[in-house]
Protein backbone atom coordinates (compact mmCIF):
# COMPACT_ATOMS: atom_id res chain seq x y z
CA UNK A 1 0.00 0.00 0.00
CA UNK A 2 1.37 3.40 -0.96
CA UNK A 3 1.72 6.19 1.58
CA UNK A 4 -1.11 8.05 -0.16
CA UNK A 5 -3.44 5.05 0.11
CA UNK A 6 -2.37 4.50 3.70
CA UNK A 7 -3.32 8.04 4.66
CA UNK A 8 -6.59 8.01 2.73
CA UNK A 9 -7.64 4.75 4.38
CA UNK A 10 -6.89 5.76 7.97
CA UNK A 11 -9.41 4.51 10.51
CA UNK A 12 -9.41 4.50 14.30
CA UNK A 13 -8.94 1.02 15.76
CA UNK A 14 -10.61 0.36 19.11
CA UNK A 15 -10.40 -3.45 19.24
CA UNK A 16 -7.05 -5.21 19.25
CA UNK A 17 -5.78 -8.78 19.00
CA UNK A 18 -3.74 -10.30 21.81
CA UNK A 19 -0.54 -10.11 19.72
CA UNK A 20 2.12 -8.09 21.49
CA UNK A 21 4.34 -5.44 19.95
CA UNK A 22 7.97 -6.51 20.24
CA UNK A 23 10.72 -4.13 21.33
CA UNK A 24 12.14 -3.75 17.83
CA UNK A 25 8.81 -2.57 16.40
CA UNK A 26 8.18 -0.38 19.43
CA UNK A 27 11.49 1.38 18.90
CA UNK A 28 10.69 1.84 15.21
CA UNK A 29 7.43 3.55 16.19
CA UNK A 30 9.19 5.80 18.69
CA UNK A 31 11.99 6.62 16.26
CA UNK A 32 9.42 7.63 13.65
CA UNK A 33 7.86 9.85 16.29
CA UNK A 34 11.02 11.71 17.22
CA UNK A 35 11.88 12.31 13.55
CA UNK A 36 8.85 14.59 13.34
CA UNK A 37 9.26 18.27 12.51
CA UNK A 38 9.43 20.44 15.62
CA UNK A 39 10.05 24.03 16.63
CA UNK A 40 13.72 24.99 16.55
CA UNK A 41 14.71 21.34 16.88
CA UNK A 42 14.19 21.76 20.62
CA UNK A 43 11.97 18.64 20.81
CA UNK A 44 9.67 20.07 23.45
CA UNK A 45 7.85 16.80 24.04
CA UNK A 46 8.16 13.49 25.85
CA UNK A 47 6.55 10.09 25.26
CA UNK A 48 5.52 7.91 28.20
CA UNK A 49 5.24 4.24 27.22
CA UNK A 50 2.74 2.14 29.16
CA UNK A 51 2.66 -1.63 28.58
CA UNK A 52 2.12 -3.23 31.99
CA UNK A 53 -1.39 -4.38 32.83
CA UNK A 54 -1.37 -2.74 36.26
CA UNK A 55 -0.07 0.51 34.82
CA UNK A 56 -2.75 0.54 32.11
CA UNK A 57 -5.41 -0.10 34.74
CA UNK A 58 -4.09 2.85 36.74
CA UNK A 59 -4.61 5.09 33.70
CA UNK A 60 -8.05 3.68 32.89
CA UNK A 61 -10.10 6.08 35.06
CA UNK A 62 -8.41 9.06 33.38
CA UNK A 63 -9.65 7.70 30.05
CA UNK A 64 -13.19 7.14 31.30
CA UNK A 65 -12.62 3.36 31.30
CA UNK A 66 -12.69 3.11 27.52
CA UNK A 67 -11.94 -0.58 26.84
CA UNK A 68 -9.08 0.05 24.39
CA UNK A 69 -7.16 1.94 27.09
CA UNK A 70 -6.50 -1.37 28.86
CA UNK A 71 -6.98 -3.90 26.04
CA UNK A 72 -4.42 -2.39 23.64
CA UNK A 73 -0.94 -3.82 24.14
CA UNK A 74 0.59 -0.36 23.97
CA UNK A 75 -0.52 2.98 25.39
CA UNK A 76 1.54 6.08 24.63
CA UNK A 77 1.00 9.35 26.45
CA UNK A 78 2.45 12.19 24.37
CA UNK A 79 3.36 15.21 26.48
CA UNK A 80 4.35 18.81 25.93
CA UNK A 81 7.65 19.03 27.78
CA UNK A 82 9.71 22.17 28.36
CA UNK A 83 11.30 20.67 31.46
CA UNK A 84 14.15 18.81 29.76
CA UNK A 85 15.20 21.71 27.54
CA UNK A 86 14.98 24.15 30.47
CA UNK A 87 17.26 21.98 32.59
CA UNK A 88 19.75 21.82 29.72
CA UNK A 89 19.67 25.61 29.41
CA UNK A 90 20.33 26.12 33.10
CA UNK A 91 23.17 23.61 33.06
CA UNK A 92 24.72 25.58 30.18
CA UNK A 93 24.51 29.01 31.84
CA UNK A 94 21.43 30.05 29.82
CA UNK A 95 18.18 31.32 31.31
CA UNK A 96 15.17 29.48 29.82
CA UNK A 97 12.01 31.43 29.09
CA UNK A 98 9.49 28.67 28.46
CA UNK A 99 7.17 29.19 31.44
CA UNK A 100 4.41 30.82 29.39
CA UNK A 101 1.38 30.05 27.25
CA UNK A 102 3.18 30.55 23.94
CA UNK A 103 5.68 27.86 24.88
CA UNK A 104 2.84 25.55 25.87
CA UNK A 105 1.19 25.99 22.47
CA UNK A 106 4.52 25.41 20.72
CA UNK A 107 5.21 22.24 22.69
CA UNK A 108 1.64 21.00 22.29
CA UNK A 109 1.82 21.36 18.51
CA UNK A 110 5.14 19.52 18.46
CA UNK A 111 3.63 16.72 20.57
CA UNK A 112 0.68 16.25 18.22
CA UNK A 113 2.98 16.06 15.18
CA UNK A 114 4.99 13.38 16.98
CA UNK A 115 1.79 11.45 17.69
CA UNK A 116 0.71 11.55 14.05
CA UNK A 117 4.12 10.30 12.91
CA UNK A 118 3.71 7.35 15.26
CA UNK A 119 0.22 6.58 13.97
CA UNK A 120 1.39 6.59 10.35
CA UNK A 121 4.35 4.36 11.24
CA UNK A 122 2.08 1.95 13.12
CA UNK A 123 -0.31 1.66 10.19
CA UNK A 124 2.58 1.12 7.77
CA UNK A 125 3.64 -1.87 9.90
CA UNK A 126 0.16 -3.41 9.90
CA UNK A 127 -0.90 -2.06 13.27
CA UNK A 128 -3.77 0.24 14.17
CA UNK A 129 -4.14 3.14 16.55
CA UNK A 130 -6.68 5.35 18.23
CA UNK A 131 -6.34 8.81 19.72
CA UNK A 132 -7.88 9.23 23.17
CA UNK A 133 -9.40 12.68 23.44
CA UNK A 134 -9.79 12.25 27.19
CA UNK A 135 -6.17 13.19 27.86
CA UNK A 136 -6.62 16.96 28.10
CA UNK A 137 -9.88 16.50 30.03
CA UNK A 138 -8.04 14.71 32.82
CA UNK A 139 -4.52 16.07 32.44
CA UNK A 140 -4.35 16.77 36.16
CA UNK A 141 -4.99 13.12 37.01
CA UNK A 142 -2.58 11.78 34.38
CA UNK A 143 0.14 14.08 35.72
CA UNK A 144 -0.17 12.40 39.11
CA UNK A 145 -0.34 8.86 37.73
CA UNK A 146 2.71 9.29 35.49
CA UNK A 147 4.65 11.47 37.94
CA UNK A 148 5.06 14.30 35.43
CA UNK A 149 7.15 17.19 36.78
CA UNK A 150 6.53 20.91 36.41
CA UNK A 151 6.92 21.92 32.78
CA UNK A 152 5.32 18.73 31.47
CA UNK A 153 1.66 18.23 30.57
CA UNK A 154 -0.05 15.38 28.67
CA UNK A 155 -1.51 16.39 25.32
CA UNK A 156 -2.84 13.22 23.73
CA UNK A 157 -2.79 9.46 24.20
CA UNK A 158 -2.46 6.71 21.59
CA UNK A 159 -3.60 3.13 21.96
CA UNK A 160 -1.70 0.92 19.51
CA UNK A 161 -1.91 -2.75 18.56
CA UNK A 162 -2.76 -5.23 15.85
CA UNK A 163 -6.37 -4.72 14.74
CA UNK A 164 -9.11 -7.16 15.71
CA UNK A 165 -11.59 -5.21 13.59
CA UNK A 166 -11.84 -3.44 10.27
CA UNK A 167 -14.32 -0.62 10.83
CA UNK A 168 -15.86 1.25 7.95
CA UNK A 169 -14.18 4.49 7.00
CA UNK A 170 -15.90 7.39 8.71
CA UNK A 171 -17.21 10.14 6.50
CA UNK A 172 -15.40 13.42 5.98
CA UNK A 173 -16.63 16.74 4.71
CA UNK A 174 -15.76 17.33 1.04
CA UNK A 175 -12.50 19.13 0.26
CA UNK A 176 -14.29 22.31 -0.77
CA UNK A 177 -15.85 22.50 2.70
CA UNK A 178 -12.53 22.85 4.48
CA UNK A 179 -10.09 24.20 1.88
CA UNK A 180 -9.94 27.93 1.12
CA UNK A 181 -7.83 29.27 -1.73
CA UNK A 182 -6.05 32.61 -1.24
CA UNK A 183 -8.59 33.93 1.31
CA UNK A 184 -11.14 32.50 3.74
CA UNK A 185 -14.60 32.32 2.17
CA UNK A 186 -17.31 32.30 4.80
CA UNK A 187 -20.19 29.83 4.63
CA UNK A 188 -23.70 30.60 3.46
CA UNK A 189 -26.67 28.56 4.73
CA UNK A 190 -26.91 26.98 1.29
CA UNK A 191 -23.28 25.89 1.39
CA UNK A 192 -23.72 24.49 4.89
CA UNK A 193 -26.65 22.42 3.62
CA UNK A 194 -24.55 21.16 0.73
CA UNK A 195 -21.45 20.32 2.75
CA UNK A 196 -23.25 18.57 5.62
CA UNK A 197 -25.75 16.70 3.47
CA UNK A 198 -23.81 13.42 3.48
CA UNK A 199 -23.18 13.48 7.24
CA UNK A 200 -26.83 14.19 8.00
CA UNK A 201 -28.03 11.43 5.67
CA UNK A 202 -26.14 8.62 7.45
CA UNK A 203 -28.57 6.20 9.08
CA UNK A 204 -26.43 5.78 12.19
CA UNK A 205 -26.56 9.52 12.81
CA UNK A 206 -30.31 9.58 12.21
CA UNK A 207 -30.59 6.92 14.90
CA UNK A 208 -28.51 9.10 17.26
CA UNK A 209 -31.07 11.86 16.81
CA UNK A 210 -33.95 9.54 17.72
CA UNK A 211 -32.15 7.95 20.66
CA UNK A 212 -31.35 11.35 22.15
CA UNK A 213 -34.77 12.82 21.42
CA UNK A 214 -33.32 15.65 19.36
CA UNK A 215 -34.44 17.42 16.19
CA UNK A 216 -31.09 17.69 14.42
CA UNK A 217 -27.67 16.06 14.41
CA UNK A 218 -26.14 19.38 15.43
CA UNK A 219 -28.15 19.20 18.67
CA UNK A 220 -26.64 15.80 19.41
CA UNK A 221 -23.19 17.41 19.25
CA UNK A 222 -24.04 20.55 21.23
CA UNK A 223 -26.44 19.10 23.81
CA UNK A 224 -25.22 15.54 24.32
CA UNK A 225 -21.69 14.86 23.10
CA UNK A 226 -19.98 18.20 23.73
CA UNK A 227 -22.23 20.36 25.92
CA UNK A 228 -20.93 23.79 26.81
CA UNK A 229 -21.16 23.11 30.53
CA UNK A 230 -18.71 20.22 30.28
CA UNK A 231 -16.35 22.19 28.06
CA UNK A 232 -16.30 25.07 30.53
CA UNK A 233 -15.66 22.69 33.42
CA UNK A 234 -12.79 20.90 31.68
CA UNK A 235 -11.38 24.24 30.53
CA UNK A 236 -11.21 25.47 34.12
CA UNK A 237 -9.41 22.28 35.20
CA UNK A 238 -6.97 22.55 32.30
CA UNK A 239 -6.20 26.21 32.99
CA UNK A 240 -5.53 25.40 36.63
CA UNK A 241 -3.30 22.52 35.57
CA UNK A 242 -1.37 24.79 33.19
CA UNK A 243 -0.74 27.15 36.10
CA UNK A 244 0.39 24.31 38.34
CA UNK A 245 2.75 23.01 35.65
CA UNK A 246 4.27 26.44 35.10
CA UNK A 247 2.83 27.47 31.75
CA UNK A 248 0.69 30.37 32.99
Amino acid sequence: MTTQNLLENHRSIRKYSSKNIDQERLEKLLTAGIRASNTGNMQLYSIVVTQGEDEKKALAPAHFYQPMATEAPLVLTICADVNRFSIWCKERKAEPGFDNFQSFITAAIDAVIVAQNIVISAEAMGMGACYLGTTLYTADKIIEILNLPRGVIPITTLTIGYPAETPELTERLPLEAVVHYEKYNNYTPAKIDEYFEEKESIEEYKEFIKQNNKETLAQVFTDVRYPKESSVKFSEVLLETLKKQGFL
Side-chain angles (χ1 to χ4, degrees), residues 7 29-41 43-47 76 78-80 104-122 131 155-158:
L7 292 170
L29 292 176
L30 299 174
T31 299
I34 69 169
R35 292 307 308 169
S37 299
N38 66 97
T39 304
N41 201 26
Q43 293 184 269
L44 301 179
Y45 56 80
S46 280
I47 306 166
L76 301 180
I78 319 294
C79 305
F104 164 70
I105 292 295
T106 297
I109 292 171
D110 286 355
V112 171
I113 299 173
V114 167
Q116 187 64 3
N117 259 32
I118 292 172
V119 169
I120 295 169
S121 177
Y131 282 91
I155 299 299
T156 192
T157 298
L158 298 175

